[in-house]
């Protein structure tokens, strides 16, 4: 039988924590088939936007990921294209592949 190792404080402290979103997501530059989403994280990480016309994000699409870096204040502006005109979309930010909100935002 294998026992789980309990980590000490020093071991836990030395591990890098996952980055999280600190600002956003904010939608802008919207036209009939595209939009841009701004967000900021607390550290460098790959970010993307998951979006769908379904409020539960069923059949969602995900943008290519972009890396937030210190030189840009850990911010990203992510382009979404190929949207259907006059359609309500729902979206959420993915930071390091993890959804940052419990529910999607309408846009």
């Amino acid at each position: 039988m294998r026992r789980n190792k309990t980590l000490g404080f020093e071991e836990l402290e030395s591990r890098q924590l996952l980055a999280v979103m600190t600002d956003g997501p904010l939608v802008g530059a919207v036209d009939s088939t595209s939009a841009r989403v701004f967000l900021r994280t607390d550290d460098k990480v790959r970010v993307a936007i998951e979006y769908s016309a379904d409020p539960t994000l069923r059949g969602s699409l995900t943008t290519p990921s972009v890396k937030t870096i210190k030189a840009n204040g850990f911010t990203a502006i992510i382009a979404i294209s190929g949207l259907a005109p006059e359609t309500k979309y729902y979206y959420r930010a993915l930071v390091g592949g993890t959804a940052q909100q419990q529910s999607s935002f309408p846009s």
Side-chain angles (χ1 to χ4, degrees):
M1 182 174 173
R2 187 171 174 221
R3 293 186 59 170
N4 292 334
K5 179 182 176 188
T6 303
L7 298 176
F9 177 77
E10 290 80 17
E11 290 173 290
L12 287 172
E13 187 177 47
S14 70
R15 290 185 175 204
Q16 184 169 354
L17 300 176
L18 297 175
V20 296
M21 183 173 60
T22 59
D23 295 298
L26 304 170
V27 177
V30 177
D31 64 27
S32 62
T33 61
S34 67
R36 292 179 182 225
V37 181
F38 165 89
L39 62 84
R40 180 187 314 270
T41 60
D42 66 345
D43 203 353
K44 63 183 176 186
V45 67
R46 297 201 73 77
V47 295
I49 301 296
E50 180 182 18
Y51 63 98
S52 173
D54 185 289
T56 65
L57 295 176
R58 188 177 322 224
S60 66
L61 298 172
T62 302
T63 64
S65 65
V66 195
K67 190 171 188 178
T68 60
I69 58 173
K70 186 175 183 177
N72 293 338
F74 301 117
T75 63
I77 298 176
I78 302 167
I80 302 173
S81 59
L83 302 175
E86 300 195 28
T87 303
K88 182 185 278 191
Y89 282 89
Y90 298 84
Y91 65 98
R92 65 182 175 186
L94 303 176
V95 176
T98 302
Q100 295 295 290
Q101 8 358 311
Q102 295 296 320
S103 60
S104 59
F105 295 116
S107 153

